[in-house]
Amino acid sequence: MNKTGRNPRRAKLLAVRALNDYVYYLTDRKRIIRSNFLAGIMRGMGSAIGFWLLSAAIIALLAFLADNGVPLVDRLVKYFIRTAEKYT
């Protein structure tokens, strides 16, 4: 072992193994397709959940401001409610 406490031979072995695993991954088309497909699904779900949380937070903030009598927000919320009731 050297001064820093690392074994350079072991580090080299791990790097070679990691490279071998990566090359194996690149040669297996089914694995690449499955991995990318699942990554795409997870990105889509993450975007949907994030949009839902952000929308809920904005709606809760607007409702809080409207209940506390902020004039501009109160008028805005009433406008949205009237518009929604017109189309339902």
Side-chain angles (χ1 to χ4, degrees):
M1 285 202 196
N2 61 8
K3 216 176 191 183
T4 60
R6 293 187 177 150
N7 188 345
R9 191 170 147 201
R10 186 174 184 181
K12 185 177 179 181
L13 179 65
L14 288 174
V16 168
R17 283 187 182 174
L19 181 63
N20 286 340
D21 287 342
Y22 184 65
V23 169
Y24 173 72
Y25 171 76
L26 289 178
T27 58
D28 190 4
R29 283 187 180 211
K30 287 182 183 178
R31 190 171 182 185
I32 291 173
I33 292 170
R34 183 177 64 231
S35 174
N36 288 335
F37 178 71
L38 290 175
I41 289 175
M42 291 300 125
R43 279 189 202 104
M45 287 177 60
S47 297
I49 291 171
F51 176 75
W52 176 74
L53 288 173
L54 185 63
S55 300
I58 290 171
I59 290 170
L61 178 67
L62 286 175
F64 174 76
L65 291 175
D67 287 342
N68 288 329
V70 177
L72 179 65
V73 176
D74 190 27
R75 282 185 274 157
L76 182 67
V77 169
K78 286 179 183 177
Y79 170 76
F80 284 139
I81 290 172
R82 279 193 311 254
T83 305
E85 287 175 349
K86 188 184 339 180
Y87 291 107
T88 56

